[in-house]
Amino acid sequence: MKSSARLRLVAAATVCGTAAVLGAVAPSATAEAPGGKTLVTIGDSFSANGEILDLLNKDGDPGCKHVATSWPTQLTQRMGLAPDDVEDTSCQGGTIDTSGWALVHQVKRAASEGAFGPRTRAVTIQLGMNDAWGTDHPVVLSMACLADLAAGCGPDAAAQGRTPDPATVTGQGYADRVRKAVEYIRYYAPNARVIFVGYPEIHTPGQDSACASILGVDVVQPRAGAVTGFLDRIDTAQREAARLLNVDFLDARAVTAGHGACAADSWVAGAFDPRTDLLGFPWHPTARGDSTLAAAVQQRIELG
């Protein structure tokens, strides 16, 4: 069976599976509705963040640790919320539906903790980077081509199946994959503002090259169009899906513009780069980047 056909079958099964799993955790119609928690955060490592030493852990799995400088943690502090009034299910490696700690699992965990209810003010969702789009493997597994200075990550990489094809990342596809979870959240947290949180600027939108700092040295891959194009399309897909589902979109690229990888004032961590966060996850926000994003999400929640 071709990979595209397999993905269509997986997507169809995921929609049915999501409905079944969420239905299984739905509160009884006769039960008293829970109050809910003020803030619910769903996401991947761009929400949870982490340290590079976690990746080097011999156990291999950094788990779902939320570092003190992650934007949801800083947002909790900025809003003056008690820890038990926030449900943060974000996790390194989180996906919409591809593998691991997926959206349905995160929503189920939040529901089991009584996080959704009339008191819930906001539910943030930051997912998609780790998912498979058009190929059987997610982009995070395809970034090895950035280190391949001979073959690179140009358009041919997508054609050869070495990276996802940016053209397969669409707003309609994104909306279809998250729709059931969004409908569930809306039903059980009717007063909540649902916000799709975009990814911060890693590279200048539209460029073909990519840069990463390693031990304080900037390393450029001039042929990275398949990867940078994917990141551009994820941003567009989140924005379009938010419109289709009538939820909010927080443009993280706009609030971090000019501070991507290798910028003079970069808010993106390198690999053991003393100029940013020495132990931060490469290509993930520094504490400064997360602080800026926390402020932007707070403004969206409080000012509308």
Side-chain angles (χ1 to χ4, degrees):
M1 184 182 293
K2 293 184 178 179
S3 61
S4 59
R6 283 197 297 269
L7 284 172
R8 285 195 295 270
L9 288 175
V10 169
T14 298
V15 171
C16 295
T18 299
V21 171
L22 293 181
V25 299
S28 168
T30 60
E32 182 179 351
K37 299 184 180 184
T38 296
L39 175 65
V40 180
T41 299
I42 295 168
D44 54 27
S45 59
F46 277 79
S47 293
N49 222 323
E51 294 185 346
I52 195 169
L53 293 180
D54 295 329
L55 300 177
L56 303 178
N57 189 321
K58 291 182 179 180
D59 293 335
D61 182 7
C64 294
K65 181 176 71 175
H66 305 120
V67 298
T69 56
S70 70
W71 69 258
T73 302
Q74 294 195 57
L75 175 62
T76 297
Q77 296 165 350
R78 292 179 64 93
M79 294 180 65
L81 300 175
D84 61 0
D85 195 25
V86 176
E87 188 69 28
D88 185 353
T89 66
S90 63
C91 189
Q92 294 83 0
T95 68
I96 297 174
D97 55 26
T98 298
S99 62
W101 191 236
L103 173 60
V104 64
H105 302 121
Q106 296 193 43
V107 172
K108 182 179 179 180
R109 168 66 63 80
S112 71
E113 296 293 331
F116 300 123
R119 286 188 60 254
T120 307
R121 292 184 61 186
V123 179
T124 64
I125 299 175
Q126 188 177 38
L127 291 169
M129 184 79 79
N130 296 325
D131 283 274
W133 298 87
T135 62
D136 288 335
H137 51 274
V139 71
V140 69
L141 299 179
S142 306
M143 287 186 173
C145 67
L146 291 175
D148 188 343
L149 296 181
C153 295
D156 57 323
Q160 295 164 6
R162 294 189 291 118
T163 64
D165 181 353
T168 65
V169 186
T170 66
Q172 186 65 61
Y174 194 105
D176 289 344
R177 293 170 78 165
V178 303
R179 187 183 310 276
K180 291 296 182 182
V182 170
E183 290 174 350
Y184 179 93
I185 292 167
R186 277 181 163 156
Y187 185 83
Y188 289 105
N191 301 316
R193 182 183 295 273
V194 180
I195 306 171
F196 289 175
V197 178
Y199 291 98
E201 179 176 297
I202 298 175
H203 67 91
T204 303
Q207 72 180 24
D208 290 328
S209 63
C211 182
S213 57
I214 302 174
L215 299 175
V217 177
D218 293 345
V219 179
V220 178
Q221 169 56 267
R223 291 180 295 169
V227 170
T228 59
F230 170 85
L231 299 178
D232 290 346
R233 284 301 306 165
I234 279 287
D235 182 81
T236 301
Q238 289 175 301
R239 190 188 309 270
E240 292 176 351
R243 177 181 55 80
L244 291 170
L245 298 175
N246 195 29
V247 302
D248 281 5
F249 173 72
L250 193 288
D251 189 348
R253 276 187 165 188
V255 300
T256 58
H259 299 281
C262 303
D265 181 19
S266 178
W267 295 349
V268 177
F272 298 110
D273 185 356
R275 300 172 301 175
T276 55
D277 286 353
L278 182 63
L279 299 179
F281 273 169
W283 266 26
H284 283 66
T286 62
R288 173 69 183 279
D290 272 333
S291 176
T292 301
L293 188 53
V297 176
Q298 179 186 20
Q299 184 179 44
R300 180 62 57 89
I301 293 172
E302 297 184 345
L303 299 182

Short mmCIF file of all heavy atoms in Angstrom, two decimals, residues 201-205 252-268:
data_model
loop_
_atom_site.label_atom_id
_atom_site.label_comp_id
_atom_site.label_asym_id
_atom_site.label_seq_id
_atom_site.Cartn_x
_atom_site.Cartn_y
_atom_site.Cartn_z
N GLU A 201 9.42 32.23 15.52
CA GLU A 201 10.29 32.33 14.35
C GLU A 201 11.58 31.56 14.61
O GLU A 201 12.29 31.81 15.57
CB GLU A 201 10.63 33.79 14.04
CG GLU A 201 11.55 33.93 12.84
CD GLU A 201 11.81 35.37 12.44
OE1 GLU A 201 10.83 36.04 12.05
OE2 GLU A 201 12.97 35.80 12.54
N ILE A 202 11.85 30.60 13.74
CA ILE A 202 13.11 29.85 13.77
C ILE A 202 14.01 30.34 12.64
O ILE A 202 15.22 30.47 12.80
CB ILE A 202 12.85 28.34 13.65
CG1 ILE A 202 12.00 27.86 14.84
CG2 ILE A 202 14.16 27.57 13.58
CD1 ILE A 202 11.58 26.40 14.75
N HIS A 203 13.41 30.61 11.51
CA HIS A 203 14.13 31.18 10.37
C HIS A 203 13.25 32.27 9.79
O HIS A 203 12.05 32.35 10.09
CB HIS A 203 14.41 30.12 9.31
CG HIS A 203 13.15 29.63 8.65
ND1 HIS A 203 12.65 30.20 7.50
CD2 HIS A 203 12.28 28.66 8.99
CE1 HIS A 203 11.52 29.58 7.18
NE2 HIS A 203 11.28 28.64 8.07
N THR A 204 13.84 33.13 8.94
CA THR A 204 13.05 34.17 8.29
C THR A 204 12.08 33.51 7.31
O THR A 204 12.51 32.74 6.45
CB THR A 204 13.96 35.15 7.52
OG1 THR A 204 14.89 35.72 8.43
CG2 THR A 204 13.13 36.25 6.87
N PRO A 205 10.77 33.76 7.44
CA PRO A 205 9.80 33.12 6.56
C PRO A 205 10.15 33.31 5.09
O PRO A 205 10.56 34.40 4.66
CB PRO A 205 8.49 33.83 6.92
CG PRO A 205 8.67 34.24 8.34
CD PRO A 205 10.12 34.63 8.45
N ALA A 252 2.75 33.46 16.88
CA ALA A 252 4.00 33.47 17.63
C ALA A 252 5.16 34.01 16.79
O ALA A 252 6.10 34.59 17.32
CB ALA A 252 4.33 32.07 18.14
N ARG A 253 5.07 33.82 15.48
CA ARG A 253 6.13 34.35 14.62
C ARG A 253 6.18 35.87 14.67
O ARG A 253 7.26 36.47 14.66
CB ARG A 253 5.92 33.88 13.18
CG ARG A 253 6.46 32.50 12.87
CD ARG A 253 6.35 32.20 11.39
NE ARG A 253 7.15 31.07 11.01
CZ ARG A 253 7.36 30.68 9.76
NH1 ARG A 253 6.82 31.36 8.77
NH2 ARG A 253 8.10 29.62 9.49
N ALA A 254 5.01 36.47 14.74
CA ALA A 254 4.96 37.94 14.73
C ALA A 254 5.61 38.52 15.98
O ALA A 254 6.32 39.52 15.91
CB ALA A 254 3.51 38.41 14.62
N VAL A 255 5.39 37.89 17.13
CA VAL A 255 5.91 38.46 18.38
C VAL A 255 7.37 38.08 18.61
O VAL A 255 8.00 38.62 19.52
CB VAL A 255 5.05 38.03 19.60
CG1 VAL A 255 3.63 38.52 19.43
CG2 VAL A 255 5.08 36.53 19.82
N THR A 256 7.91 37.16 17.79
CA THR A 256 9.33 36.80 17.92
C THR A 256 10.12 37.14 16.67
O THR A 256 11.27 36.71 16.52
CB THR A 256 9.48 35.29 18.22
OG1 THR A 256 8.87 34.53 17.16
CG2 THR A 256 8.82 34.92 19.54
N ALA A 257 9.52 37.92 15.77
CA ALA A 257 10.16 38.26 14.49
C ALA A 257 11.51 38.93 14.71
O ALA A 257 11.68 39.80 15.57
CB ALA A 257 9.24 39.18 13.68
N GLY A 258 12.49 38.49 13.90
CA GLY A 258 13.83 39.06 13.98
C GLY A 258 14.72 38.41 15.02
O GLY A 258 15.88 38.82 15.19
N HIS A 259 14.18 37.40 15.71
CA HIS A 259 14.95 36.77 16.79
C HIS A 259 15.08 35.26 16.58
O HIS A 259 15.12 34.49 17.53
CB HIS A 259 14.28 37.06 18.13
CG HIS A 259 14.21 38.51 18.47
ND1 HIS A 259 15.28 39.21 18.97
CD2 HIS A 259 13.18 39.42 18.33
CE1 HIS A 259 14.93 40.47 19.16
NE2 HIS A 259 13.67 40.61 18.78
N GLY A 260 15.15 34.85 15.31
CA GLY A 260 15.26 33.43 15.01
C GLY A 260 16.66 32.89 15.24
O GLY A 260 17.54 33.58 15.79
N ALA A 261 16.88 31.66 14.81
CA ALA A 261 18.18 31.01 15.00
C ALA A 261 19.28 31.82 14.33
O ALA A 261 19.13 32.28 13.19
CB ALA A 261 18.14 29.60 14.44
N CYS A 262 20.37 32.03 15.03
CA CYS A 262 21.57 32.71 14.54
C CYS A 262 21.40 34.22 14.38
O CYS A 262 22.29 34.88 13.85
CB CYS A 262 22.06 32.10 13.23
SG CYS A 262 22.41 30.32 13.33
N ALA A 263 20.26 34.78 14.79
CA ALA A 263 20.09 36.23 14.76
C ALA A 263 21.01 36.87 15.78
O ALA A 263 21.48 36.21 16.73
CB ALA A 263 18.64 36.61 15.05
N ALA A 264 21.28 38.17 15.62
CA ALA A 264 22.17 38.86 16.55
C ALA A 264 21.64 38.76 17.98
O ALA A 264 22.41 38.61 18.94
CB ALA A 264 22.33 40.31 16.13
N ASP A 265 20.32 38.86 18.13
CA ASP A 265 19.67 38.70 19.44
C ASP A 265 18.70 37.54 19.31
O ASP A 265 17.49 37.71 19.24
CB ASP A 265 18.95 39.99 19.83
CG ASP A 265 18.28 39.90 21.19
OD1 ASP A 265 18.67 39.00 21.98
OD2 ASP A 265 17.38 40.71 21.48
N SER A 266 19.26 36.32 19.27
CA SER A 266 18.45 35.15 19.02
C SER A 266 17.69 34.71 20.27
O SER A 266 18.24 34.69 21.37
CB SER A 266 19.33 33.99 18.54
OG SER A 266 18.57 32.81 18.35
N TRP A 267 16.40 34.38 20.06
CA TRP A 267 15.59 33.81 21.14
C TRP A 267 15.36 32.32 20.89
O TRP A 267 14.43 31.72 21.41
CB TRP A 267 14.25 34.53 21.22
CG TRP A 267 14.36 35.98 21.60
CD1 TRP A 267 15.46 36.63 22.06
CD2 TRP A 267 13.32 36.96 21.52
NE1 TRP A 267 15.18 37.96 22.29
CE2 TRP A 267 13.87 38.19 21.96
CE3 TRP A 267 11.98 36.93 21.14
CZ2 TRP A 267 13.13 39.36 22.02
CZ3 TRP A 267 11.23 38.08 21.18
CH2 TRP A 267 11.80 39.30 21.63
N VAL A 268 16.25 31.73 20.07
CA VAL A 268 16.18 30.30 19.75
C VAL A 268 17.48 29.65 20.23
O VAL A 268 18.57 30.11 19.90
CB VAL A 268 16.02 30.08 18.23
CG1 VAL A 268 16.03 28.59 17.90
CG2 VAL A 268 14.72 30.71 17.75
#
